[in-house]
């Protein structure tokens, strides 16, 4: 079971991070190419896609497949939560809580199959509700950002956020 | 004359008391084996042989160096049981086989000799008579699970799992010191070596 979950997590995280990184590069360009102290690719400012093209063996991989925790946190750039767009619908602590509840249900089956089935239904409903709430929060935010966009570049960035979110909803 | 009558009355009373005591302890012995008495009766013809077999079991049992499971081991075994029980969802037969192995491991850890399964059951009947019928039938289901894993109804596998759990819990949490009285004085020292730190219930 744990292997499946791990694969699922990886799938979810890889794709959004790529968007996130590109976003950061664009943000840097917008702000006059200010370089973050920890940036590993100094040339990225002048040649945004250098990092990707420098690694022809894995063109689809992000530059840092195992990005540090900080990179996954929502970053408040220009009043927008850029990093959150690609994050999972269910927050890490909530996911852990759901999964540990599932483990208990799985073990309890032998002692009480009927209750186990009922508990599993409750759990799935709760996971669904959590995902729906998170979905509505985030898509509402995108819609507001889209309405506020007044030029092509802002609309392009708004559309990129939708794209990142689709990557979360439909992980490869 | 009066002396003779008194003597006869006293003698009759003494004999009656002795017979009564013998019947009482026989009854007590049988009661302590509960449903296992019937199993013994199936293999032995006369009531005397049954009583002799029950006494033999008790004597053998009381001579065993039984001891409690340490609280650290209790935790480890309980965790191993949870893994086996969780396995049931994806592979009931395999979970049952693992559960049986785990019970066997705990039996040996408590000090019951492995080897002959029938003798092990006989020794277990002294303290765990009530759980033994379930244990025995669970073992039969386990054997079938090994031979034809796909032909056993899931509910039957689950019941077998529960039978293992009952005995497993009892073995894990019992103190180890024998709970039956009148242990032979020669084996008292070994029997009483079991520590009493296994009393906390784990479920």
């Amino acid at each position: 079971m744990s292997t499946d979950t791990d694969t699922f997590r990886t799938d979810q995280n890889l794709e959004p991070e790529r968007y996130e990184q590109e976003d950061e590069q664009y943000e840097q360009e917008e702000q006059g190419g200010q370089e973050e102290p920890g940036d590993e690719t100094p040339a990225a400012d002048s040649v945004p896609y250098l990092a990707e093209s420098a690694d022809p063996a894995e063109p689809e991989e992000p530059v840092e497949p195992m990005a540090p925790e900080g990179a996954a946190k929502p970053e408040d750039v220009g009043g927008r939560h850029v990093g959150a767009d690609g994050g999972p619908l269910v927050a890490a602590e909530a996911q852990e809580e759901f999964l540990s509840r599932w483990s208990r249900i799985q073990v309890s089956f032998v002692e009480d199959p009927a209750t186990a089935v009922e508990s599993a239904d409750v759990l799935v409903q709760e996971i669904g509700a959590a995902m729906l709430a998170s979905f509505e929060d985030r898509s509402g935010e995108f819609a507001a950002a889209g309405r506020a966009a007044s030029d092509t570049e802002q609309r392009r960035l708004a559309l990129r956020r939708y794209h990142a979110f689709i990557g979360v909803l439909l992980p490869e | 004359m009066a002396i003779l009558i008194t003597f006869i009355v006293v003698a009759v009373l003494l004999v009656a008391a002795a017979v009564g005591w013998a019947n009482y302890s026989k009854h007590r012995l049988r009661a302590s084996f509960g449903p296992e008495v019937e199993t013994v009766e199936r293999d032995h013809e006369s009531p005397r042989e049954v009583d002799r077999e029950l006494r033999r079991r008790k004597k053998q049992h009381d001579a065993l160096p039984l001891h409690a499971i340490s609280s650290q081991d209790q935790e480890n075994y309980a965790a191993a049981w949870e893994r086996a029980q969780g396995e049931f969802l994806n592979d009931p037969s395999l979970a049952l086989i693992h559960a049986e192995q785990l019970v066997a491991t705990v039996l040996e850890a408590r000090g019951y000799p492995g080897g002959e399964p029938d003798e092990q059951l006989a020794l277990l009947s002294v303290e765990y008579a009530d759980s033994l019928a379930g244990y025995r039938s669970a073992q039969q289901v386990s054997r079938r699970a090994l031979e034809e894993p796909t032909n056993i109804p899931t509910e039957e596998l689950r019941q077998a799992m529960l039978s293992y759990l009952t005995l497993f819990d009892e073995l894990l949490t019992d103190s180890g010191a024998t709970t039956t009285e009148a242990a032979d004085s020669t084996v008292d020292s070994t029997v009483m070596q079991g520590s009493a730190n296994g009393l906390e219930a784990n479920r």
Side-chain angles (χ1 to χ4, degrees):
Chain A
M1 194 189 79
S2 65
T3 332
D4 289 353
T5 316
D6 289 343
T7 325
F8 179 63
R9 277 185 192 155
T10 317
D11 282 351
Q12 254 186 346
N13 285 340
L14 282 183
E15 189 66 3
E17 265 166 29
R18 194 176 70 213
Y19 296 119
E20 211 173 281
Q21 236 168 15
E22 288 174 14
D23 260 349
E24 276 171 34
Q25 285 167 356
Y26 280 104
E27 295 299 335
Q28 283 165 14
E29 279 179 348
E30 280 179 52
Q31 293 164 12
Q34 282 169 0
E35 195 177 310
E36 299 244 336
D39 203 321
E40 286 187 357
T41 54
D45 281 341
S46 45
V47 190
Y49 290 100
L50 181 66
E52 270 187 29
S53 55
D55 192 0
E58 291 175 299
E60 290 300 309
E61 286 293 305
V63 186
E64 300 168 275
M66 305 304 286
E69 277 297 297
K73 279 186 199 152
E75 274 175 73
D76 205 359
V77 184
R80 298 196 291 119
H81 296 276
V82 173
D85 296 353
L89 272 184
V90 177
E93 315 91 66
Q95 173 161 333
E96 213 167 281
E97 166 69 20
F98 285 139
L99 289 176
S100 89
R101 272 172 64 189
W102 163 252
S103 298
R104 287 198 296 276
I105 291 170
Q106 181 170 350
V107 169
S108 77
F109 175 80
V110 168
E111 283 155 281
D112 192 344
T115 306
V117 171
E118 280 167 25
S119 308
D121 187 58
V122 171
L123 179 62
V124 165
Q125 296 300 330
E126 280 183 40
I127 294 173
M131 289 179 112
L132 188 62
S134 170
F135 171 85
E136 280 170 351
D137 275 1
R138 235 184 276 183
S139 58
E141 209 181 296
F142 297 154
R147 278 194 301 273
S150 56
D151 66 16
T152 306
E153 175 58 10
Q154 282 176 13
R155 291 199 178 93
R156 189 183 70 84
L157 291 173
L159 198 60
R160 283 175 54 83
R161 297 184 68 191
Y162 275 109
H163 190 199
F165 192 45
I166 288 171
V168 174
L169 297 176
L170 307 174
E172 285 175 66
Chain B
M1 195 60 183
I3 293 174
L4 188 64
I5 289 170
T6 311
F7 180 77
I8 289 170
V9 166
V10 167
V12 165
L13 284 177
L14 278 176
V15 168
V19 169
W21 175 253
N23 278 336
Y24 171 69
S25 49
K26 226 180 257 180
H27 176 75
R28 266 242 302 235
L29 183 68
R30 285 184 172 233
S32 76
F33 278 88
E36 275 303 298
V37 176
E38 281 178 37
T39 318
V40 178
E41 279 170 345
R42 251 178 269 145
D43 298 335
H44 297 81
E45 281 166 14
S46 73
R48 268 181 78 165
E49 280 179 53
V50 172
D51 288 331
R52 195 180 299 145
E53 168 62 12
L54 294 183
R55 275 197 301 275
R56 182 195 73 81
R57 288 185 181 191
K58 190 160 153 33
K59 199 172 168 186
Q60 294 276 328
H61 169 270
D62 292 348
L64 289 175
L66 296 182
H67 45 80
I69 307 283
S70 74
S71 54
Q72 180 59 51
D73 283 349
Q74 277 188 10
E75 275 177 36
N76 294 340
Y77 287 131
W81 177 269
E82 274 210 1
R83 279 196 297 280
Q85 198 171 311
E87 251 177 3
F88 191 88
L89 182 66
N90 295 318
D91 193 339
S93 293
L94 187 67
L96 193 65
I97 289 161
H98 285 162
E100 183 186 27
Q101 288 167 350
L102 195 54
V103 171
T105 305
V106 176
L107 274 174
E108 292 206 31
R110 279 291 307 275
Y112 287 94
E116 287 178 59
D118 286 346
E119 182 57 14
Q120 193 176 58
L121 285 171
L123 292 171
L124 274 174
S125 69
V126 178
E127 252 187 291
Y128 301 105
D130 290 336
S131 333
L132 214 58
Y135 181 53
R136 207 177 270 126
S137 64
Q139 283 184 316
Q140 278 160 12
V141 177
S142 286
R143 264 193 293 279
R144 282 164 52 209
L146 272 176
E147 289 156 13
E148 31 162 17
T150 51
N151 290 343
I152 309 172
T154 310
E155 176 58 16
E156 208 177 328
L157 292 166
R158 187 180 78 87
Q159 290 297 340
M161 204 70 190
L162 288 176
S163 296
Y164 282 136
L165 176 60
T166 303
L167 183 61
F168 176 84
D169 271 350
E170 289 174 350
L171 287 168
L172 206 60
T173 51
D174 277 357
S175 67
T178 180
T179 53
T180 53
E181 320 90 323
D184 286 353
S185 55
T186 48
V187 298
D188 255 5
S189 54
T190 48
V191 171
M192 299 312 285
Q193 270 171 4
S195 57
N197 60 354
L199 283 167
E200 58 186 286
N202 82 322
R203 242 158 253 275

